[in-house]
Amino acid sequence: MSEWPSTLPPFLWGVASSSHQVEGRQPGNDWLSWEEAGRTRGRSDDHIDHWTRYREDVALYREMGANASRISLEWSRLEPEPGRWDDDAFDHYADMLDATRAQGLEPLVTISHFTLPLFVAEAGGWLWEGMEEAFLRLTEKVVQRFSQVRLWCTINEPTVLPLMGYEEGVWPPGQRSLRVGLRVLSREIAIHERAYRLIKSIEPAALVGLAHHVVRFRPLVNTPAHRALAAFLHRTFNAWTIDHTKEVQDFIGLNYYSCRWATFRRPVNPFPNRRGVPLTQMGWEIDPEGLFDLAAWAARYGRPILITENGIATDDEDERARYIKSHVGALRRAAAGGADVRGYFYWSGLDNFEWAEGYRPHFGLAAVAPDGTRTIKAGAAALREEAAAGFALTDGRGGVS
Ligand code: FCB
């Protein structure tokens, strides 16, 4: 059943990021190699440098109205070579987490957010036979060392990684096989299950989950066949992974950005956009109702729901504010209808390196100049206002914190 510890803030208003996208000074991982091979729009560099400017950033997040921050750990820093643990990197993350807490921000920590150390990638990445043991060794180390963390996410977007890296081939390792992608997905699920049990054995009170990328699939034409196709895509892409991990999740983490349209048009593409509607810098359609639908649907799992990512890439700050308000509004309605929603993390606090798209999409609540100067954008006020208004929980208790 749904359980939310009274030691945590009743509602988390957060910003989300990941190591590779903001830290800079990356010593080397599979993404850096991918960038060097010219597979992205430009390469990641050090101008954001969250690795050294984290104190300033957590203060900024606080100013944005957040009481939580989602980050990820860069495995390649912690274990640069097999079995060699870098104590300085562990200490550095411990300082980062202390600074986060000192600002009154609850950390939610992702163990793996897409990047892999080179030794793992070169051995076969998620399909390497040693992957499970290597991931569990890492998990044990980080959970023992970072005891200030009460919210863990093992793997970010277990469906997106195989889709982009192993089926479409636009992310490392660049394979193009659905069959291989599905093997990766089942590997991730198996690893999550063991990592979940391991974390709970070390920190029984910690809440552990996954961040699932979910999409609202809508029938392009209102026919029974299109409706059936949309329902099939929902079952396959959204529900399958959650169904197969539901016993080993203390919260249901949802990353929601957009909707896609179910159509039989060729070439077959399960994720088509509509033509002629306004799209974000990512080419995604804005659909707050989708968040309502998916949060209301996820309530069936009987676990607290965290929106572990939601955000817009735009330079139009009115648009950003509308996006935040409409999506939080949709969540409020889902909660009023009975969904136990416990957190909303905006992606992202800072403009950052958006994987294959490089620095062009601007998701941040703050801009980062080439010299690293941060400037909070006008759209950030929307998060502050929503947080100040509080969040009425399903049981009627207020979530102002
Ligand atoms: C999600 C990723 C995150 C970021 C956003 C825009 O799929 O988890 O790292 O790139 O999309």
Side-chain angles (χ1 to χ4, degrees):
M1 251 329 280
S2 195
E3 250 177 65
W4 190 253
S6 57
T7 45
L8 287 172
F11 193 87
L12 301 168
W13 295 99
V15 289
S17 66
S18 86
S19 56
H20 188 75
Q21 294 178 276
V22 292
E23 283 180 354
R25 301 170 191 269
Q26 295 291 351
N29 61 23
D30 59 339
W31 263 92
L32 210 60
S33 307
W34 191 248
E35 294 163 26
E36 279 160 7
R39 305 298 299 265
T40 54
R41 263 183 232 271
R43 287 158 64 164
S44 64
D45 59 34
D46 298 338
H47 81 282
I48 303 176
D49 198 12
H50 178 69
W51 185 245
T52 44
R53 302 181 76 140
Y54 60 91
R55 285 178 197 285
E56 183 186 345
D57 290 338
V58 288
L60 209 67
Y61 298 164
R62 172 72 184 214
E63 207 179 317
M64 291 166 179
N67 68 357
S69 163
R70 176 173 175 229
I71 63 160
S72 75
L73 303 172
E74 182 59 39
W75 185 354
S76 57
R77 289 188 194 281
L78 297 170
E79 190 183 10
E81 289 160 33
R84 183 168 75 75
W85 302 98
D86 184 333
D87 292 339
D88 291 344
F90 276 87
D91 290 348
H92 195 103
Y93 276 120
D95 285 346
M96 223 185 237
L97 290 164
D98 288 344
T100 305
R101 295 208 68 113
Q103 282 293 342
L105 303 172
E106 184 68 38
L108 190 168
V109 178
T110 305
I111 297 175
S112 178
H113 196 122
F114 298 152
T115 53
L116 294 175
L118 284 175
F119 77 86
V120 175
E122 282 159 10
W126 288 91
L127 294 174
W128 168 40
E129 55 182 20
M131 182 62 174
E132 198 160 317
E133 293 315 316
F135 193 95
L136 291 169
R137 265 199 327 267
L138 171 74
T139 300
E140 183 173 23
K141 290 264 182 210
V142 298
V143 174
Q144 278 170 347
R145 178 71 172 85
F146 306 131
S147 54
Q148 61 273 69
V149 178
R150 302 187 282 186
L151 292 160
W152 287 99
C153 168
T154 55
I155 300 172
N156 182 62
E157 300 191 337
T159 52
V160 170
L161 180 91
L163 186 73
M164 304 296 274
Y166 293 83
E167 199 271 328
E168 292 190 10
V170 292
W171 287 6
Q175 293 197 32
R176 294 185 65 108
S177 156
L178 179 60
R179 196 175 47 81
V180 177
L182 291 172
R183 273 178 55 212
V184 171
L185 178 60
S186 68
R187 211 5 125 64
E188 291 175 299
I189 289 176
I191 290 176
H192 166 77
E193 190 169 329
R194 286 190 62 193
Y196 173 92
R197 297 193 199 290
L198 178 61
I199 299 172
K200 300 296 277 190
S201 74
I202 302 169
E203 286 286 347
L207 299 190
V208 186
L210 288 154
H212 301 276
H213 188 99
V214 288
V215 173
R216 181 195 191 195
F217 293 101
R218 308 175 66 177
L220 185 63
V221 190
N222 196 7
T223 67
H226 285 84
R227 286 198 299 274
L229 180 61
F232 168 78
L233 291 171
H234 169 74
R235 279 199 306 279
T236 318
F237 188 77
N238 296 331
W240 194 86
T241 311
I242 307 184
D243 286 342
H244 284 80
T245 45
K246 62 178 177 227
E247 303 306 327
V248 279
Q249 289 178 97
D250 299 322
F251 59 83
I252 305 291
L254 303 178
N255 292 358
Y256 173 79
Y257 289 90
S258 173
C259 63
R260 295 297 161 108
W261 295 85
T263 164
F264 295 96
R265 266 191 217 139
R266 289 185 169 270
V268 177
N269 168 9
F271 303 103
N273 273 318
R274 243 177 346 167
R275 306 219 175 95
V277 298
L279 301 175
T280 71
Q281 289 172 338
M282 290 296 283
W284 298 344
E285 194 172 329
I286 299 172
D287 182 21
E289 204 54 27
L291 186 56
F292 171 80
D293 270 16
L294 287 158
W297 163 78
R300 71 176 55 198
Y301 294 103
R303 300 282 193 287
I305 296 166
L306 294 182
I307 305 310
T308 33
E309 288 179 28
N310 173 249
I312 180 173
T314 183
D315 285 327
D316 177 340
E317 292 310 302
D318 293 335
E319 183 89 273
R320 189 182 323 278
R322 272 199 301 279
Y323 186 97
I324 293 173
K325 296 218 159 204
S326 58
H327 285 75
V328 172
L331 267 189
R332 293 185 191 283
R333 281 187 287 120
D340 187 18
V341 183
R342 292 295 185 151
Y344 173 84
F345 288 76
Y346 180 81
W347 181 275
S348 185
L350 308 174
D351 282 343
N352 62 59
F353 184 75
E354 178 48 39
W355 308 114
E357 304 303 319
Y359 289 108
R360 211 172 49 168
H362 294 154
F363 278 98
L365 294 181
V368 184
D371 71 354
T373 308
R374 278 82 164 132
T375 313
I376 296 190
K377 304 177 190 173
L383 183 70
R384 202 177 318 115
E385 286 161 19
E386 292 295 332
F391 195 93
L393 303 169
T394 353
D395 60 7
R397 281 183 294 133
V400 192
S401 41

